[in-house]
Amino acid sequence: MNKLNNSSSSCTCSPADERSVDVRHPLDPLTAVEIQKAIEIVRADQHYGADFLFETIELLEPEKSLVRRYMQGDPISRSARVNLFKVSEDGIWRLTVSLTEGRVLTSKYLRTAKPMIQLEQFVAIEDAVRADPKFVAACTKRGIEDMSLVCIDPWSAGNFDVPGEDGRYLAHVFAWLRLRENDNLYAHPIGGLNAVVDIKTYEVIRVDDHEIIPIPKTEVNYEAEFIKNPRTPYKPLNIVQPEGVSFKLVGRRLEWDRWSVLVGFNSREGLTLHDISYGGRPIAHRASLVEMVVPYGTPDKGHFRKNVFDIGEYGIGKLANSLKLGCDCLGAISYLDAHLATMDGKVVTIENAICIHEEDAGLLWKHWDFRSNNVETRRARRLVISCIATVANYEYGLFWYFHTDGSIQFELKATGIINTAACYPGQPGKYGKEVAPGVLGHIHQHIFCARLDMNVDGDHNSVVELNTQADSWGPDNPYGNGFYEEETVLKTELGGGRQVNLATHRAWKIINPSRKNRVGTATGYKLEPSHPVTPFIHPDSPSGRRSSFTRNQLWVTAYDPEERYPAGEYMNHSDGSGGVSDFVKKNRNIENADIVVWHVFGLHHQVRPEDFPVQPCIFTGFKLTPSGFFDGNPGIDLAPDRNDASCHARDAK
């Protein structure tokens, strides 16, 4: 048996390099060659000249029936979704492109849709603002002479009915100042100063100079070169697997223990998982994080506009990091690259965008039979699939865990630097906390939505709500200790929008009514809503209308491959329509049907001084736990094992 020992350094397993591997599965993400082919097909079509820019290129995932026919030997047919936009005209051209046939299959023009803000546009927006005479003048009033030290973060502008903004493709920016090279800019917010930029033309249409607040000049740095008197390093703690890893990665198909999952990636969602099964039994057809909204709790000046949809308005995949061995991931690591298209039709590769490794997960089960003095102990392990994206000041780590006990866990780790604003020292106001003298962090939330296309033991599933109830104290409950779990099947989409209830320990179970375990109940997986968030933005406000999915922690919809995003397909400057709150108005049947479960969770971030200059990781997520899926403990058959590298600790010297 392979062992995880603490005796040597990190290493890289033989990489699964998809640049040199043919497509093996119809749900494999587009390769670099396929993305280039999609670009060439579009460029060769007379309707789409050089003035068209690429918003996204991603796999057009085939219907489930076609995927299963492939599994029985049918050839793979590959197609792509391609979104185009132009500088000279509004709208998005939505294409489907057959890579197999080499032609554009369909085209639809969406006149009012706005493209996501592209990574390549960030620097151009920053340059445009720094060069604008009105913005320069406003900086001069604040004593800033060197504009090269001014740093600009472009934020999506939303829809706030501001005169002169209607119908335009805009970014609303905030500014900070570096005092010198590599200085932490977020320690020096330029308070009361914003600009609005037309992203297509890079015209600064307005500079908002609300007030002059003294720029904090105290350095609060985090890079190693600036840290004086660093603490004594820890003794090395190395994780090795001298006999190799226990997982197998062939192309994008990952197998570990009895788990099987196909690892995908696209520019909007980043990491996606497909065809998840345990012991050959299906659990989920597709799982991914599909939206993230970050509402800030202040109506002050330009800060009321801080309500960004980091997935829908930027695309978290395009912002993925190239992970570093021995830093971002420890142990014996396999990596997968990610391939994306730039807006001008080039293919870029993010090397080592996805990390795959195993971790010891503590005690799985143990029992000491004191009568016989026999002890049985088994340790747990988990398979980790992860990626990390940087969205301006914040880092988001997306971690999917597959456990020995048959559970699936999603954990999001938020770190990076809080978005800072300037304040008068000692006067942060009621909407935030001072994290350094004159540096303010506003209260805010990070609200996420996972889309779980479930197929527990097959496509026909139901969702059962679980509530724990207490019997009334009386003749039937004479000791006052009677309580039980009540199960309610959700039958239609309008009844499938549900909120957590801590008073009843509410959870939900996705079951297959047609499959029974050995005690005669339906096989299923329980969704544990461990990190609910109460939204505080008014639902009828401009930001509230755009984030209506946050009103419930659970939505259940009938499967539709075009219903992909809970806040809508095209989020930039959206009006709030076209999301899950509209999907459920069809009120389709969700009992014993092909269903999608949408789970909303997140972080309620009450900022503290310890979050600065870099925020320690804070965690959120959820868990899918087998509930009747197995006939007993799925880890009961693990062989006894002992880690011989463990030893008695020696005191540090």
Side-chain angles (χ1 to χ4, degrees):
M1 179 178 289
N2 297 323
K3 298 178 174 65
L4 292 135
N5 299 323
N6 296 333
S7 60
S8 187
S9 59
S10 299
C11 65
T12 305
C13 302
S14 299
D17 187 349
E18 66 272 26
R19 289 169 291 187
S20 59
V21 176
D22 293 334
V23 172
R24 299 171 182 267
H25 192 282
L27 295 176
D28 281 358
L30 296 179
T31 66
V33 171
E34 288 180 314
I35 294 173
Q36 184 61 52
K37 185 174 182 180
I39 293 167
E40 292 170 357
I41 292 170
V42 172
R43 291 294 191 216
D45 191 298
Q46 61 179 346
H47 298 97
Y48 309 106
D51 56 339
F52 281 87
L53 302 173
F54 293 87
E55 188 224 31
T56 52
I57 301 177
E58 60 178 315
L59 176 70
L60 176 60
E61 296 177 15
E63 296 178 5
K64 296 179 182 180
S65 61
L66 296 178
V67 173
R68 283 150 199 174
R69 279 163 51 186
Y70 152 78
M71 302 298 286
Q72 298 179 6
D74 279 12
I76 300 174
S77 178
R78 300 279 281 177
S79 296
R81 295 179 185 265
V82 179
N83 283 348
L84 304 174
F85 68 101
K86 299 173 74 172
V87 171
S88 59
E89 297 180 43
D90 290 333
I92 286 180
W93 286 258
R94 184 178 183 180
L95 313 182
T96 59
V97 175
S98 172
L99 302 174
T100 304
E101 301 175 24
R103 65 186 181 93
V104 176
L105 297 175
T106 65
S107 175
K108 184 176 182 180
Y109 173 56
L110 304 171
R111 182 181 59 82
T112 60
K114 301 285 193 299
M116 291 188 289
I117 299 176
Q118 304 296 307
L119 177 61
E120 306 95 296
Q121 294 171 326
F122 286 13
V123 174
I125 292 170
E126 185 170 35
D127 290 343
V129 173
R130 278 200 299 236
D132 181 77
K134 291 182 180 179
F135 192 85
V136 172
C139 288
T140 300
K141 287 194 301 182
R142 291 162 168 80
I144 300 171
E145 297 179 357
D146 185 353
M147 290 300 295
S148 69
L149 297 174
V150 175
C151 301
I152 306 295
D153 277 358
W155 286 57
S156 56
N159 281 335
F160 292 91
D161 298 324
V162 178
E165 293 187 4
D166 186 51
R168 303 186 74 162
Y169 176 39
L170 303 173
H172 180 262
V173 311
F174 295 86
W176 292 263
L177 182 69
R178 287 195 196 275
L179 302 185
R180 56 183 166 130
E181 186 179 7
N182 295 334
D183 180 38
N184 175 17
L185 62 112
Y186 294 106
H188 318 293
I190 304 175
L193 181 61
N194 306 99
V196 180
V197 182
D198 187 309
I199 301 175
K200 289 193 172 185
T201 63
Y202 303 115
E203 171 195 0
V204 179
I205 69 168
R206 193 177 72 250
V207 173
D208 297 327
D209 192 348
H210 301 286
E211 64 176 322
I212 296 178
I213 303 174
I215 298 172
K217 293 297 180 66
T218 301
E219 292 191 18
V220 189
N221 285 303
Y222 59 88
E223 293 193 23
E225 65 176 294
F226 298 114
I227 303 300
K228 298 178 180 178
N229 303 318
R231 71 175 70 181
T232 302
Y234 294 127
K235 300 293 184 183
L237 192 157
N238 301 316
I239 301 170
V240 300
Q241 294 173 269
E243 299 174 29
V245 298
S246 299
F247 61 83
K248 180 171 68 174
L249 184 60
V250 180
R252 309 290 298 208
R253 169 65 66 182
L254 178 60
E255 295 182 352
W256 175 77
D257 195 10
R258 292 171 179 166
W259 287 104
S260 178
V261 58
L262 189 141
V263 183
F265 193 95
N266 64 58
S267 61
R268 181 161 176 168
E269 300 162 87
L271 180 60
T272 60
L273 302 181
H274 308 259
D275 195 21
I276 302 170
S277 64
Y278 185 98
R281 297 171 62 186
I283 296 170
H285 178 72
R286 192 182 195 278
S288 68
L289 189 71
V290 284
E291 194 53 271
M292 166 183 11
V293 63
V294 188
Y296 282 73
T298 172
D300 288 346
K301 308 297 186 297
H303 296 288
F304 71 90
R305 301 188 77 146
K306 293 195 294 192
N307 189 80
V308 63
F309 294 78
D310 287 328
I311 292 177
E313 292 180 317
Y314 294 101
I316 201 169
K318 288 191 174 183
L319 305 174
N321 294 184
S322 180
L323 301 175
K324 305 302 181 187
L325 190 68
C327 300
D328 297 304
C329 309
L330 297 184
I333 309 298
S334 279
Y335 289 108
L336 289 171
D337 297 342
H339 308 294
L340 308 167
T342 65
M343 59 187 282
D344 58 353
K346 295 182 176 63
V347 180
V348 296
T349 295
I350 303 173
E351 295 184 349
N352 299 349
I354 300 171
C355 172
I356 300 167
H357 70 287
E358 295 172 276
E359 292 179 347
D360 179 89
L363 190 66
L364 177 65
W365 61 265
K366 178 175 181 173
H367 184 63
W368 167 46
D369 186 336
F370 66 90
R371 295 174 179 84
S372 65
N373 204 32
N374 290 338
V375 180
E376 292 284 341
T377 302
R378 303 292 185 273
R379 291 196 66 78
R381 194 177 292 192
R382 66 186 184 185
L383 178 71
V384 186
I385 309 171
S386 64
C387 72
I388 302 172
T390 300
V391 187
N393 51 299
Y394 261 111
E395 265 77 19
Y396 295 102
L398 283 61
F399 291 78
W400 288 93
Y401 303 124
F402 292 84
H403 289 268
T404 308
D405 67 358
S407 61
I408 303 169
Q409 182 182 2
F410 176 77
E411 183 176 68
L412 187 134
K413 302 178 182 181
T415 180
I417 303 178
I418 61 169
N419 183 263
T420 56
C423 68
Y424 292 97
Q427 302 177 45
K430 71 177 184 179
Y431 299 111
K433 301 293 183 183
E434 202 168 10
V435 297
V439 181
L440 164 68
H442 289 121
I443 190 170
H444 60 282
Q445 298 178 316
H446 305 253
I447 307 179
F448 306 91
C449 182
R451 181 180 183 273
L452 306 171
D453 181 358
M454 303 298 295
N455 63 346
V456 176
D457 275 331
D459 285 335
H460 289 78
N461 290 175
S462 299
V463 175
V464 179
E465 182 168 285
L466 309 173
N467 288 285
T468 299
Q469 307 288 1
D471 284 326
S472 299
W473 197 356
D476 293 332
N477 184 24
Y479 305 105
N481 68 322
F483 60 97
Y484 61 96
E485 190 170 72
E486 181 181 67
E487 298 191 356
T488 305
V489 177
L490 306 181
K491 296 181 179 296
T492 62
E493 289 178 313
L494 286 177
R498 306 295 294 165
Q499 298 178 354
V500 297
N501 185 349
L502 297 180
T504 65
H505 291 268
R506 181 171 293 166
W508 299 280
K509 184 164 60 173
I510 301 96
I511 65 168
N512 187 322
S514 301
R515 289 289 302 270
K516 307 296 182 182
N517 52 40
R518 69 176 177 178
V519 295
T521 58
T523 60
Y525 263 76
K526 182 169 72 171
L527 171 62
E528 301 177 4
S530 54
H531 288 82
V533 173
T534 300
F536 285 88
I537 288 182
H538 195 283
D540 296 326
S541 68
S543 296
R545 289 195 299 270
R546 300 181 68 218
S547 54
S548 60
F549 76 92
T550 64
R551 298 172 197 170
N552 290 320
Q553 283 80 45
L554 182 83
W555 303 83
V556 186
T557 60
Y559 171 74
D560 183 330
E562 295 303 313
E563 295 179 353
R564 304 195 297 161
Y565 300 111
E569 186 83 22
Y570 301 101
M571 281 308 304
N572 204 0
H573 295 285
S574 67
D575 61 5
S577 63
V580 69
S581 60
D582 285 332
F583 302 160
V584 300
K585 292 176 183 177
K586 301 173 185 178
N587 205 24
R588 294 164 292 193
N589 172 59
I590 56 172
E591 183 181 10
N592 199 13
D594 192 356
I595 59 174
V596 175
V597 173
W598 311 74
H599 179 46
V600 179
F601 59 97
L603 297 164
H604 183 75
H605 195 173
Q606 298 154 303
V607 179
R608 59 198 178 121
E610 289 85 352
D611 291 329
F612 198 66
V614 175
Q615 171 185 303
C617 280
I618 52 178
F619 304 86
T620 184
F622 61 91
K623 200 169 187 179
L624 287 166
T625 304
S627 182
F629 189 79
F630 301 104
D631 288 335
N633 180 349
I636 203 70
D637 58 352
L638 285 177
D641 189 23
R642 180 186 179 90
N643 189 304
D644 295 329
S646 297
C647 62
H648 293 287
R650 294 178 296 173
D651 292 338
K653 295 180 179 179

